Amino acid sequence: MPVSVPLPQAGADVLCCLGLGLVLAAGYDGCRFVLGRARLVCFVLDLLFFALAGMLVCSYAASRSYAGVPRWYHLAGMAAGLAAYYQVLAPVTWGVRRFLVWLLGLPFRVIWRRLLRPLGRLAVRAGRNAGRAAKKSCKKPRSNAGKRLQTPAKMLYNSK
């Protein structure tokens, strides 16, 4: 039968599990940032998240906790760490991520603006000029200005 844990040791366990929850949530969020947000990726990451959370709680309880077994307040501390990450730290990390994406995309945008976009405009202009030259050089059909005859489909039956 597990022993009763004094309140100061239980508080220390909760704070340690809070830190484990923060680390676990940050790792999960970082993996979703790197691997994307597809359904299969989220499913696999959720499975890994819950397995790792269970393993962390059991290993913490066996190695560092005063009671030696997982208790409800260990899981409550990890859940509080997860909630704290997504309520407090996630907006900051999302801003950092947007900055990193912008910073990493900067060389590609510069290459696009300075090199590829003008080349594309030149290609479009060359295509237009080639089309105009083809229209000018093609032989125009000869018009029948002298023979103003009606086509057989337009002639009336009794007309002369």
Side-chain angles (χ1 to χ4, degrees):
M1 182 166 166
V3 296
S4 64
V5 180
L7 194 58
Q9 277 91 12
D13 286 349
V14 169
L15 287 177
C16 288
C17 286
L18 180 95
L20 286 176
L22 282 170
V23 168
L24 194 61
Y28 177 77
D29 199 31
C31 287
R32 282 194 57 183
F33 171 65
V34 171
L35 298 176
R37 298 189 182 272
R39 286 185 181 185
L40 181 63
V41 171
C42 289
F43 176 71
V44 171
L45 283 177
D46 287 345
L47 287 178
L48 288 173
F49 169 76
F50 284 111
L52 189 60
M55 186 187 73
L56 280 174
V57 163
C58 290
S59 66
Y60 173 75
S63 64
R64 303 290 293 168
S65 176
Y66 183 76
V69 291
R71 299 262 177 120
W72 66 270
Y73 51 84
H74 294 145
L75 294 174
M78 285 187 82
L82 179 81
Y85 176 80
Y86 280 108
Q87 293 299 318
V88 177
L89 295 176
V92 175
T93 60
W94 290 334
V96 169
R97 267 188 245 140
R98 280 195 326 210
F99 176 72
L100 285 176
V101 167
W102 176 81
L103 191 64
L104 292 174
L106 189 63
F108 298 110
R109 285 191 300 275
V110 168
I111 289 171
W112 171 254
R113 287 184 188 140
R114 304 267 178 187
L115 183 66
L116 297 178
R117 193 186 304 168
L119 287 177
R121 288 180 185 151
L122 287 175
V124 168
R125 193 175 299 142
R128 275 194 229 130
N129 291 341
R132 289 178 188 153
K135 284 181 184 176
K136 286 181 181 177
S137 67
C138 69
K139 194 173 184 181
K140 294 183 181 176
R142 207 169 153 193
S143 65
N144 295 334
K147 306 178 183 177
R148 300 264 181 199
L149 298 176
Q150 288 185 343
T151 59
K154 288 186 179 178
M155 287 171 121
L156 294 175
Y157 178 73
N158 289 333
S159 65
K160 291 186 181 185

